[in-house]
Amino acid sequence: MQFLPLEQLNIDEKILKILKDRGIEKLNPVQTEAINKGLLKDERLLVTSPTGSGKTLIAELGIISHLLNKGGKAIYITPLRALTSEKFSELKVWEKLGYKVGMTSGDYDTDDAWLKNYDIIISTYEKIDSLWRRNPSWLKEVDYFVLDEFHYLNDPHRGPVVESVAVRIRYKNLLALSATIQNYEEISKWLNATPVTTDWRPVPLKEGVIIPEKKSSYKVIFSNNESINIKGNDAILAYVNYVLQHGGQVLVFRNSRKIAESTARKIASNMGLFKMDKELEKISNEIKEVDDAGTTEKEDLAELVRSGVAYHHAGLSKGLRDIIEKYFIQRKIKVIVATPTLAAGVNLPARSVIVGDIYRFNRQILGFNEEIPIMEYKQMAGRAGRPGFDKEGEAIIVVRNKSEADRVFKKYILSPPEPIESKLGNEASFYTFILGIVSSEGRVTSDEVEDYAMGTLLDKDIVKSYLKKGLNWLRDNEFIAGDDDLVLTKFGKRVADLYINPFTAKTFKDYLTRNEKSCNVAYLHLCAYTPDGPRVSVSRNEMYDLVDLSPCPLFIEEPDDEDEFYNYVSALKVGMIINDWIEEVDEDIILGRYGIGSGDLRSIIDTMDWLTYSGFNISRVLDLKEHAEAFYILNLRVKDGIKEELIDLVKVPGIGRKRARLLFENNIKKPEDIIMNVDKVKSLLGSRLGEKVAKDAARIIAGNA
């Protein structure tokens, strides 16, 4: 394996200094091969290598060398907002060379004109896809694209968007980065890129299984034929203890939130030696002070971290997740028990990874009986081994017996991940793709749309079949007009700009055009029932109780199909959650009443904010004035979780639902009242905040004058 000293690189001295200031003296084998394959000369590359092998630095060198040599702008694209924030922090270092680094994600109904002043932009695939539809002038200046975590092309949910973005830039300056891709030759050919592929890792990885051997003991067998025997009554607890005794940290992956939480509690109860640690006590107190989390969550985690243990999943608030990640990186929290989302979301290595389950829940066949993909296991295992701390990382899978161990070894440890395939092969994804092409081009012939579609990874016969059906469907439902020359209708343009699924738009259109105005729950249920709506699990007890609790007739009739009825009730549960939210029900009560976490609530609010805004715009473009009015008020209330009477107050920065209610109950009901009662506002909110709020209120009034 070749390591390349920085001095041998033909790059600007200022770049060398920045790299050396970061402690980088030489490039590792992956980075060296990328250089040898033309990274600094704008060669199009597909780099596939394990997690933690330094792919971000490859992207940085590619971006900076391009900007220095050619000018223009560069975009670094990630699949997740958490990764976008992480990469933004890392790339900010290049502002030392005078380049401005910006970040954008979310809020799809804008062209982000302010980015014209930035040189390096970090964003998500969805945001870039939405920007292409609006065609801002600054986007034409971007001539270098980094496609990070490119194996997300295989993800059923995000894959279609990743592919849509890749299709547009297959002939531009491109650098795709990915974990190991089995069919990298096929994918690199599709991207018109040179493959750079290696299994090199900065910390070697041992993979194995843990098997019950005899009473109170387990055997760990690794792929290199090493084995160890450990004692204990539970495989996970036994291996956690083993790692901690040898000075390591552990990531445990479980297949559900409840199991992750209960496993964390079991581990914590077994770790009395950390109970009196003063630093852990400080972390516990910090958790109690988090603003965006429910009381029960905070109390539970505050107790756990006293033992050096935490759980981590999407149900937790961002504030809680940030604290857990921060102190795990600082090695103060020793064990995290997580759901698999953590494996893809953030760079959080540990010496040892324990994969507690190779099965996940499948509602269609009712149970934890669907085996996870190999790629998902590889993502989890890839977190094992901390550069600078560990000589090697260990990833083990918990199995029940020897026969299962043999099968698991063969499938997950000795086999490569599944080949990457197109995920555009369904109506919703493909029709969205066509709509996006017509939107970004403005006017396009059906032959040009076919050229774009033939540039996807889909089988060409499937493309032809979907293309004909898709164009007819989009015409029939008034998204596009024209036979050979295709343009968006006014309705189609608004849908494309909103970045909603065309089937979501059709759902809005179908139900709103044939129904009169109804109550808030009916509108919220309609939003949640669309293909873009948030999904929540529904227990058997809730199935019919929720239907009985609906305060008014819904726009949508109860379906007869069992699966569709589940979706119907799930949407109703979301509607009830948001209705409680806008009626200012206390957050702790909402979390307890519906069995959700604060992270779930925030995610539901964000999605329903977008969908009520979309409902308003769809109603307006269809000239449905009463529905537009209802959606407009609803959208203003959803974002902050307020009754209608507080809408004016929350327009003032720094005033949320709780402060607005406090002011309202003290007869301060609009921004003008704040200006007229500054001393009273200061006494209610505190002197410093009250002063700031008064100034912001004055600015709002002046802006409306």
Side-chain angles (χ1 to χ4, degrees), residues 421-640:
E421 298 173 340
S422 176
K423 293 295 181 282
L424 277 171
N426 62 73
E427 290 178 342
S429 298
F430 196 84
Y431 297 3
T432 300
F433 171 75
I434 296 173
L435 190 70
I437 295 298
V438 180
S439 177
S440 61
E441 296 298 322
R443 180 179 291 274
V444 63
T445 67
S446 52
D447 286 345
E448 287 170 330
V449 173
E450 184 175 352
D451 286 344
Y452 271 111
M454 286 297 182
T456 67
L457 267 174
L458 273 178
D459 177 86
K460 305 314 172 197
D461 290 335
I462 294 174
V463 168
K464 287 179 179 176
S465 167
Y466 270 121
L467 188 61
K468 186 175 180 182
K469 285 195 296 185
L471 289 173
N472 287 336
W473 186 89
L474 290 166
R475 278 193 203 95
D476 292 345
N477 288 284
E478 301 175 321
F479 290 92
I480 62 173
D483 293 321
D484 260 346
D485 275 348
L486 305 173
V487 293
L488 293 182
T489 62
K490 189 177 177 184
F491 172 63
K493 178 61 177 164
R494 199 69 200 97
V495 171
D497 285 351
L498 288 165
Y499 200 63
I500 56 174
N501 186 315
F503 286 89
T504 290
K506 185 180 186 308
T507 303
F508 277 131
K509 185 180 180 184
D510 288 350
Y511 286 103
L512 293 174
T513 51
R514 60 176 184 242
N515 283 284
E516 299 296 320
K517 186 175 179 179
S518 189
C519 77
N520 288 332
V521 170
Y523 287 105
L524 295 168
H525 177 249
L526 176 61
C527 289
Y529 192 67
T530 66
D532 286 315
R535 297 287 177 262
V536 291
S537 60
V538 181
S539 68
R540 290 193 177 276
N541 292 337
E542 289 177 307
M543 289 290 280
Y544 293 97
D545 290 349
L546 283 165
V547 174
D548 293 338
L549 286 170
S550 177
C552 65
L554 303 174
F555 292 130
I556 306 159
E557 292 180 7
E558 281 184 35
D560 294 325
D561 179 79
E562 189 177 337
D563 280 343
E564 217 30 65
F565 181 68
Y566 183 91
N567 293 334
Y568 177 90
V569 179
S570 172
L572 183 54
K573 183 173 178 178
V574 170
M576 297 289 207
I577 289 168
I578 294 297
N579 195 57
D580 278 1
W581 171 247
I582 64 175
E583 289 300 319
E584 298 180 39
V585 174
D586 183 83
E587 188 170 328
D588 281 337
I589 293 174
I590 295 174
L591 301 184
R593 183 177 288 170
Y594 298 102
I596 58 173
S598 52
D600 298 319
L601 179 59
R602 179 42 58 192
S603 175
I604 291 168
I605 291 165
D606 288 347
T607 305
M608 293 296 278
D609 178 26
W610 171 48
L611 286 170
T612 50
Y613 176 76
S614 299
F616 160 65
N617 279 277
I618 296 294
S619 301
R620 194 165 63 162
V621 81
L622 294 172
D623 204 25
L624 302 172
K625 291 179 182 175
E626 281 199 330
H627 290 313
E629 247 172 59
F631 268 124
Y632 179 72
I633 299 298
L634 201 50
N635 178 246
L636 292 175
R637 295 177 61 190
V638 167
K639 187 173 184 181
D640 291 287

Side-chain angles (χ1 to χ4, degrees), residues 230-296:
I230 52 177
K231 296 194 175 194
N233 296 312
D234 178 281
I236 291 174
L237 291 182
Y239 200 73
V240 166
N241 284 338
Y242 170 81
V243 176
L244 295 178
Q245 284 164 15
H246 289 80
Q249 285 175 282
V250 190
L251 280 174
V252 183
F253 289 104
R254 302 307 312 260
N255 59 5
S256 80
R257 294 178 186 182
K258 283 187 178 176
I259 296 172
E261 291 176 13
S262 63
T263 302
R265 292 186 194 104
K266 273 188 197 174
I267 294 170
S269 67
N270 204 37
M271 291 177 64
L273 68 159
F274 290 102
K275 286 283 186 186
M276 300 306 291
D277 189 304
K278 287 184 180 176
E279 293 211 44
L280 291 174
E281 194 64 37
K282 284 181 187 173
I283 299 169
S284 176
N285 291 330
E286 195 173 326
I287 283 172
K288 290 176 186 175
E289 299 301 317
V290 170
D291 288 333
D292 66 346
T295 303
T296 304

Side-chain angles (χ1 to χ4, degrees), residues 379-411:
Q379 283 284 100
M380 293 186 276
R383 297 298 170 194
R386 301 160 302 176
F389 291 106
D390 301 318
K391 291 182 180 177
E392 60 185 6
E394 304 158 353
I396 64 161
I397 303 171
V398 178
V399 295
R400 291 169 288 200
N401 50 51
K402 182 71 170 66
S403 63
E404 186 178 56
D406 292 339
R407 188 180 64 78
V408 165
F409 233 106
K410 187 176 179 183
K411 176 174 179 178

Side-chain angles (χ1 to χ4, degrees), residues 57 65 208 481 602:
L57 182 58
S65 62
R602 179 42 58 192

